[in-house]
Amino acid sequence: MKEFVISEAKAETAVLVGLVTPQQNEARTKEYLDELEFLADTAGAVTVKRFTQKVGGVNQTTYVGKGKLAEIKQYIQEEEDNEREVGMVIFDDELSARQLRNIEAELKVKILDRTSLILDIFAMRAQTANAKTQVELAQYRYMLPRLQRLWTHLERQGGGSGNGSVGLRGPGETQLEMDRRIILQRITLLKQRLVDIDKQKATQRKNRGRLIRVALVGYTNVGKSTIMNLLSKSDVFAENKLFATLDTTVRKVVIGNLPFLLADTVGFIRKLPTDLVDSFKSTLDEVREADLLLHVVDISHPDFEEQISVVNETLKDLGCSDKPQIVVFNKTDNYQWVEKEPDDLTPETKENLSLDDLQKTWMAKLDENCLFISAKNKDNIDEFRNTLYRQVRMLHVQKYPYNDFLYPMVD
């Protein structure tokens, strides 16, 4: 059976392809391709070119139109003529088996989509048996409907009498059926293994005592692990890469004399593959069972408001949207804005707001459930700790009212 391995794409050059549609304007497409390039970089690929096409909708056969596909093919051939080989073409949406097969036949290079790229990164980042099992399950679920594409290099070999194909099966189709059966068996095995892991995790959570549980949630690469290290004085891996943290880490944190549990969870991302969300439900149980969520946001990101929406939608899908939240706007040290000239009469945009002005917008309505910090520079950390203490104390007293006298109030 042909293995599902994409990590060989490391250090290769990549071309990115995205669409501008009525639902996704040029600015949004550029933002998505910026993120796709960051994903490619995280996987070890170097982006050399981007292609976009303005269309009414996705082409069900080749994703982009025939003219754009021919343009991409010409670019690849020109690069080859100049001894600059293009290693792969990455599309910003999940491709169907039919699209993958048609595009690959035309371009004659490795074709990836956003989902396969994210799966590759998850496979690279997985360290524990739990994470590895979850990633493998997601990979097989992704592979299953695309098996036929993996065997297009095998020709059908007919036999027997007549020139019709009824009743004649070549080795490619036989191998396809064998692979499908093997993968389905493997999926069943992995699901059972995750059930066993879930039981172990549930037992571990029950043994943690009467402590309030706090979970760090947010878009990928917003600084959750840095905050985890700052609060718990631990050494959780933190890097300026997407999905730097994949395995959930739980630490006991004490602020003042108040102990609680803090969990650092996998970051969310737009267009997150459904198979990954399903596979990582056991990891996200830390979010489901948390008493308080620290929703970390990268305030310096130009599209942070959409990232907030992506996280909130994911929390809603997990049934966690009604949990108490503190929104922590991180990376204030990176926030940049452009001051308008006095004679500039164009409407003011978010990019023209200083950080102080931005805090007076809808964020002001969040009151004490909103904080602005720089975990890197440790700016406003004292207020962060005090706010967290008050919230955890309130939840603790609600659960265990007889402990009220143990933890004094703070201003």
Side-chain angles (χ1 to χ4, degrees):
M1 181 180 68
K2 196 168 183 179
E3 289 188 8
F4 181 77
V5 176
I6 307 173
S7 54
E8 64 184 38
K10 292 179 183 177
E12 288 184 304
T13 54
V15 169
L16 310 183
V17 182
L19 295 179
V20 179
T21 66
Q23 296 77 33
Q24 184 174 300
N25 60 27
E26 290 185 27
R28 183 61 53 83
T29 299
K30 179 184 180 303
E31 176 61 35
Y32 286 1
L33 288 179
D34 286 345
E35 187 171 84
L36 189 65
E37 182 172 346
F38 201 178
L39 284 166
D41 176 66
T42 300
V46 178
T47 300
V48 294
K49 181 75 172 178
R50 294 183 179 188
F51 288 92
T52 59
Q53 184 178 30
K54 193 171 184 178
V55 293
V58 176
N59 186 304
Q60 299 303 315
T61 305
T62 53
Y63 183 74
V64 294
K66 291 183 178 180
K68 182 60 65 173
L69 198 63
E71 184 182 339
I72 298 170
K73 182 177 181 179
Q74 181 180 353
Y75 172 80
I76 293 172
Q77 291 174 340
E78 289 174 352
E79 289 297 289
E80 288 180 353
D81 293 341
N82 294 321
E83 299 183 353
R84 295 190 297 266
E85 184 179 358
V86 174
M88 56 187 162
V89 180
I90 308 174
F91 290 77
D92 190 42
D93 291 290
E94 185 170 310
L95 300 175
S96 67
R98 181 186 181 191
Q99 289 171 326
L100 279 166
R101 185 168 58 251
N102 293 335
I103 296 169
E104 198 170 59
E106 184 68 22
L107 299 184
K108 303 291 194 299
V109 296
K110 186 185 303 177
I111 305 300
L112 302 182
D113 58 15
R114 187 182 182 92
T115 298
S116 58
L117 186 60
I118 292 175
L119 285 170
D120 187 39
I121 295 170
F122 269 57
M124 290 165 53
R125 296 294 190 187
Q127 298 296 322
T128 66
N130 187 23
K132 289 178 180 178
T133 302
Q134 291 172 122
V135 172
E136 187 180 353
L137 177 59
Q139 286 178 322
Y140 279 125
R141 281 175 164 168
Y142 173 85
M143 177 196 273
L144 191 59
R146 296 167 177 81
L147 273 178
Q148 189 175 355
R149 167 179 167 261
L150 301 179
W151 291 102
T152 53
H153 65 287
L154 292 178
E155 292 182 355
R156 280 226 180 157
Q157 297 179 4
S161 61
N163 54 17
S165 60
V166 177
L168 302 181
R169 297 195 175 195
E173 189 170 352
T174 303
Q175 186 65 57
L176 180 65
E177 291 176 347
M178 289 173 59
D179 280 0
R180 189 182 302 278
R181 187 162 53 250
I182 291 170
I183 287 178
L184 287 172
Q185 290 172 352
R186 186 66 179 168
I187 287 175
T188 301
L189 177 64
L190 292 170
K191 284 181 176 179
Q192 184 56 51
R193 189 176 297 173
L194 284 178
V195 169
D196 296 338
I197 292 174
D198 286 348
K199 290 178 181 177
Q200 295 173 6
K201 294 277 187 182
T203 301
Q204 291 173 3
R205 284 191 288 269
K206 287 180 181 178
N207 294 334
R208 287 174 183 168
R210 295 182 172 182
L211 295 177
I212 294 299
R213 299 174 186 176
V214 180
L216 288 158
V217 298
Y219 210 78
T220 182
N221 201 43
V222 294
K224 297 189 300 298
S225 297
T226 304
I227 292 174
M228 177 77 160
N229 291 335
L230 189 65
L231 290 174
S232 65
K233 299 179 182 178
S234 58
D235 192 23
V236 176
F237 180 68
E239 185 185 16
N240 187 29
K241 295 282 187 180
L242 300 180
F243 304 114
T245 299
L246 193 56
D247 296 288
T248 298
T249 304
V250 181
R251 293 285 186 271
K252 183 178 179 180
V253 177
V254 180
I255 298 180
N257 66 336
L258 176 62
F260 61 92
L261 296 176
L262 181 64
D264 183 18
T265 61
V266 61
F268 303 141
I269 194 170
R270 57 172 72 97
K271 301 181 183 179
L272 186 66
T274 304
D275 289 339
L276 267 181
V277 175
D278 291 340
S279 298
F280 272 74
K281 279 183 177 176
S282 61
T283 294
L284 296 172
D285 277 343
E286 293 292 347
V287 178
R288 287 195 190 90
E289 298 193 12
D291 300 292
L292 174 67
L293 302 179
L294 293 182
H295 182 170
V296 184
V297 180
D298 178 1
I299 191 71
S300 68
H301 195 284
D303 206 19
F304 71 85
E305 287 176 309
E306 191 198 351
Q307 292 187 351
I308 291 174
S309 297
V310 170
V311 173
N312 286 337
E313 280 300 313
T314 307
L315 291 174
K316 184 178 178 181
D317 291 340
L318 294 171
C320 303
S321 57
D322 59 342
K323 288 184 179 292
Q325 269 193 43
I326 299 177
V327 183
V328 183
F329 290 98
N330 189 28
K331 302 189 180 183
T332 55
D333 55 304
N334 286 341
Y335 183 81
Q336 297 178 349
W337 62 289
V338 180
E339 188 174 9
K340 290 180 61 177
E341 298 293 334
D343 57 347
D344 185 354
L345 301 180
T346 57
E348 196 171 54
T349 65
K350 184 179 65 179
E351 287 70 27
N352 303 132
L353 296 177
S354 67
L355 187 57
D356 288 339
D357 290 334
L358 189 63
Q359 293 179 29
K360 296 173 185 176
T361 60
W362 59 269
M363 302 170 188
K365 298 179 182 178
L366 298 175
D367 298 323
E368 291 187 355
N369 295 323
C370 176
L371 288 162
F372 295 83
I373 70 168
S374 168
K376 179 182 176 182
N377 292 349
K378 299 183 179 179
D379 296 337
N380 208 26
I381 298 303
D382 287 341
E383 182 184 351
F384 179 33
R385 289 179 185 275
N386 289 338
T387 301
L388 186 54
Y389 177 93
R390 287 194 296 269
Q391 291 280 1
V392 172
R393 181 192 181 280
M394 180 183 68
L395 292 169
H396 187 93
V397 170
Q398 287 175 357
K399 269 193 171 184
Y400 316 111
Y402 47 83
N403 285 346
D404 188 9
F405 70 97
L406 294 175
Y407 309 116
M409 288 291 295
V410 295
D411 296 328

